[in-house]
């Protein structure tokens, strides 16, 4: 068992040393649990399975009996390391070199989890009687299916009468300096797995065949023809990306019967999964309805709807806390870009804002954080607790 040490830099290292490649845990949640237990939290390790996904370890921890309920949400799983020999230091060493702490998950998002634990410890030390409730919603599966993680913890909490007033998600949101950017919404994501079907034949006898690839290419062109939208004040334009085109033909003299493509769409709040599906249906109809010998079918995965949380009390408190620590009067940029996050589930329960460390090396080889950024983020988190509960 790793030692109990609430220094946010040391605690980040302890977490990075767990090789918690999603959805493996490798002791990361135990590090969180052991620290929170030490400062009086009731801890509930929650293992969920089913729903057509693998089993996931999670942790819910809570302290306080009455008053406002503040939740912090995060994940301890990390994405795979890629090619280990490309890393300057072993990816799970937590090696500090000069101003940098290296390791997979150092930025996304073990430093944030460490900072919120440290800030909570300092806050509880300062106020012997907690003027409210604080809970940690920590999942071991944010980076992959996200099925038996945060959504299940939230269901469980609700069933057990834990109702949150506000939630801070610690994903890395900052840009040039810690606290200059927060997230108040996210784009949605849907993937289509398209399959065009024609009639196989000899390339020399094309009149006896129907080339599925030609029709698929026409469909993809029509999909890319015109942007879905131009974006709006809160969101970037929606993005349509062809992820794969697969025919798998091993010879050059056969006209393929089947041609497949995967299309991923990141959409803003001007669309929903349903409206995107209707858009896709129309595109397919336009290309294929007049063809006698070719057709197109698809399956889809609707991964997330887009959402926007209008800035409220929590936003104001976070914004003020950042100014208190940085000494700057400017308000942080309110963004909705990037991938999806578990905030998309939490928004159904309470106001949620995302604020974390600078986003610059996440998911890359040699992921690192500046130790001075960890120290600053911990101070901002502490200030958020101060301003929230006073
Ligand atoms: Zn993350």
């Amino acid at each position: 068992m790793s030692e109990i040490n609430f220094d946010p830099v040391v605690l980040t290292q302890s977490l990075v040393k767990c090789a918690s490649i999603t959805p493996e845990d490798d002791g990361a949640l135990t590090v969180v649990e052991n620290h929170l237990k030490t400062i009086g939290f009731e801890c509930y390790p929650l293992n969920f399975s089913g729903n057509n996904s693998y089993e996931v370890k999670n942790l819910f921890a809570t302290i306080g009996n009455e008053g406002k309920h503040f939740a912090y949400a995060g994940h301890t799983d990390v994405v795979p390391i890629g090619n280990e020999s490309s890393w300057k230091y072993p990816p799970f060493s937590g090696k500090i070199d000069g101003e940098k702490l290296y390791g997979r998950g150092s930025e996304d998002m073990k430093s944030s989890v460490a900072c919120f634990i440290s800030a909570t410890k300092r806050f509880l030390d300062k106020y012997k009687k907690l003027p409210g409730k604080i809970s940690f919603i920590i999942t071991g599966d944010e980076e992959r299916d996200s099925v038996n993680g945060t959504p299940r913890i939230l269901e469980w909490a609700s069933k057990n009468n834990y109702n949150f007033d506000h939630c801070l998600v610690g994903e890395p949101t900052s840009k040039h300096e810690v606290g200059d950017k927060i997230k108040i919404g996210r784009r949605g994501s849907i993937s289509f797995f398209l399959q065009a079907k024609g009639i196989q034949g000899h390339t020399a006898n094309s009149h006896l065949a129907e080339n599925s690839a030609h029709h698929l290419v026409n469909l993809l062109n029509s999909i890319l023809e015109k942007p879905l939208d131009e974006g709006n004040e809160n969101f970037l334009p929606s993005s349509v990306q062809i992820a794969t085109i697969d025919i798998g033909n091993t010879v050059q003299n056969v006209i393929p019967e089947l041609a497949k493509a995967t299309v991923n769409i990141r959409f803003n709040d001007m669309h929903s999964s349903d409206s995107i599906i209707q858009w896709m249906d129309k595109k397919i109809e336009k290309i294929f309805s007049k063809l006698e010998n070719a057709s197109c079918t698809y399956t889809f995965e609707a991964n997330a709807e887009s959402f926007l949380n209008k800035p409220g009390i929590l936003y104001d408190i976070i914004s003020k806390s950042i100014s208190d620590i940085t000494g700057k009067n400017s308000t942080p940029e309110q963004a909705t870009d990037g991938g999806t996050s578990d905030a998309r589930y939490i928004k159904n329960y309470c106001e949620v804002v995302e604020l974390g460390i600078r986003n610059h090396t996440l998911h890359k080889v040699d992921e690192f954080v500046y130790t001075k950024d960890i120290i600053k983020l911990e101070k901002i988190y502490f200030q958020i607790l101060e301003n929230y509960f006073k």
Side-chain angles (χ1 to χ4, degrees):
M1 194 184 100
S2 68
E3 54 168 339
I4 301 293
N5 189 327
F6 286 93
D7 179 300
V9 175
V10 177
L11 186 46
T12 300
Q13 282 181 298
S14 301
L15 288 169
V16 168
K17 283 176 186 166
C18 303
S20 50
I21 298 172
T22 190
E24 291 305 316
D25 171 59
D26 197 37
L29 288 167
T30 310
V31 172
V32 174
E33 183 181 347
N34 288 342
H35 282 78
L36 291 177
K37 263 188 191 157
T38 307
I39 53 174
F41 273 77
E42 283 170 50
C43 293
Y44 302 92
L46 301 171
N47 293 8
F48 295 119
S49 56
N51 297 319
N52 294 320
S53 190
Y54 42 83
E55 183 174 356
V56 173
K57 287 185 179 165
N58 305 281
L59 178 70
F60 179 76
T62 188
I63 194 167
N65 295 313
E66 53 191 1
K68 286 195 290 184
H69 197 162
F70 186 97
Y72 168 85
H75 63 89
T76 48
D77 61 322
V78 301
V79 293
I81 56 172
N83 183 13
E84 182 160 10
S85 62
S86 299
W87 284 71
K88 193 167 170 186
Y89 301 109
F92 298 108
S93 62
K95 167 86 178 167
I96 294 177
D97 180 355
E99 297 184 300
K100 299 172 181 174
L101 188 164
Y102 285 89
R104 172 59 81 229
S106 56
E107 181 178 311
D108 184 9
M109 55 174 277
K110 287 174 169 176
S111 51
S112 169
V113 174
C115 285
F116 208 85
I117 294 170
S118 302
T120 303
K121 148 93 170 139
R122 281 210 291 136
F123 186 71
L124 295 176
D125 283 350
K126 185 169 170 187
Y127 300 95
K128 294 292 176 231
K129 182 161 174 13
L130 176 68
K133 296 179 272 193
I134 301 175
S135 292
F136 282 74
I137 298 164
I138 309 291
T139 178
D141 179 32
E142 191 273 342
E143 298 288 6
R144 224 173 120 186
D145 285 5
S146 250
V147 166
N148 289 314
T150 300
R152 298 287 303 274
I153 308 175
L154 292 166
E155 273 172 36
W156 179 93
S158 173
K159 248 184 228 148
N160 288 279
N161 291 317
Y162 295 107
N163 300 306
F164 314 113
D165 293 304
H166 299 92
C167 182
L168 169 68
V169 174
E171 290 288 351
T173 58
S174 299
K175 199 158 68 180
H176 302 299
E177 50 189 315
V178 178
D180 64 354
K181 182 173 169 183
I182 62 170
K183 292 199 180 169
I184 56 166
R186 290 276 186 162
R187 290 187 295 181
S189 170
I190 185 168
S191 292
F192 290 91
F193 307 94
L194 302 163
Q195 177 170 292
K197 188 173 185 294
I199 296 174
Q200 189 176 309
H202 197 297
T203 48
N205 293 331
S206 60
H207 59 289
L208 298 177
E210 187 75 38
N211 195 324
S212 60
H214 295 185
H215 300 305
L216 181 69
V217 166
N218 286 341
L219 175 64
L220 296 177
N221 270 327
S222 139
I223 285 171
L224 296 175
E225 197 172 36
K226 196 164 100 211
L228 273 172
D229 57 71
E230 303 291 325
N232 58 29
E233 56 167 338
N234 294 307
F235 283 90
L236 291 170
S238 299
S239 153
V240 178
Q241 297 297 323
I242 296 169
T244 64
I245 300 176
D246 311 293
I247 296 168
N249 200 349
T250 54
V251 291
Q252 48 181 293
N253 56 359
V254 170
I255 289 173
E257 180 191 17
L258 298 176
K260 300 177 186 180
T262 300
V263 177
N264 179 249
I265 299 173
R266 302 290 167 138
F267 56 92
N268 59 32
D269 64 346
M270 298 153 86
H271 310 273
S272 64
S273 294
D274 284 343
S275 72
I276 299 279
I277 289 168
Q278 284 172 23
W279 170 84
M280 181 62 86
D281 286 341
K282 274 195 196 128
K283 293 284 182 192
I284 292 172
E285 203 196 315
K286 200 177 134 208
I287 302 292
F288 285 88
S289 63
K290 50 186 184 288
L291 300 172
E292 258 176 48
N293 296 320
S295 59
C296 182
T297 54
Y298 66 82
T299 56
F300 65 89
E301 260 176 41
N303 302 307
E305 295 298 328
S306 69
F307 74 92
L308 179 70
N309 230 304
K310 288 261 184 297
I313 296 167
L314 181 60
Y315 171 78
D316 292 341
I317 289 169
I318 288 175
S319 186
K320 179 179 183 320
S321 306
I322 293 167
S323 300
D324 289 349
I325 297 301
T326 61
K328 288 183 185 151
N329 247 336
S330 54
T331 51
E333 180 189 342
Q334 301 168 19
T336 55
D337 59 347
T340 63
S341 88
D342 280 354
R344 69 188 191 269
Y345 305 115
I346 301 166
K347 66 117 177 22
N348 299 329
Y349 293 80
C350 63
E351 184 190 348
V352 56
V353 175
E354 299 178 62
L355 164 66
I357 209 136
R358 278 194 277 165
N359 173 330
H360 59 162
T361 60
L362 86 184
H363 297 207
K364 290 186 177 177
V365 163
D366 290 337
E367 179 176 347
F368 73 88
V369 281
Y370 289 101
T371 51
K372 67 172 193 306
D373 283 356
I374 297 179
I375 291 160
K376 192 169 167 190
L377 183 64
E378 193 269 348
K379 284 185 181 155
I380 293 173
Y381 282 169
F382 177 84
Q383 195 64 28
I384 290 171
L385 291 173
E386 281 267 24
N387 289 337
Y388 186 80
F389 285 111
K390 85 177 172 202

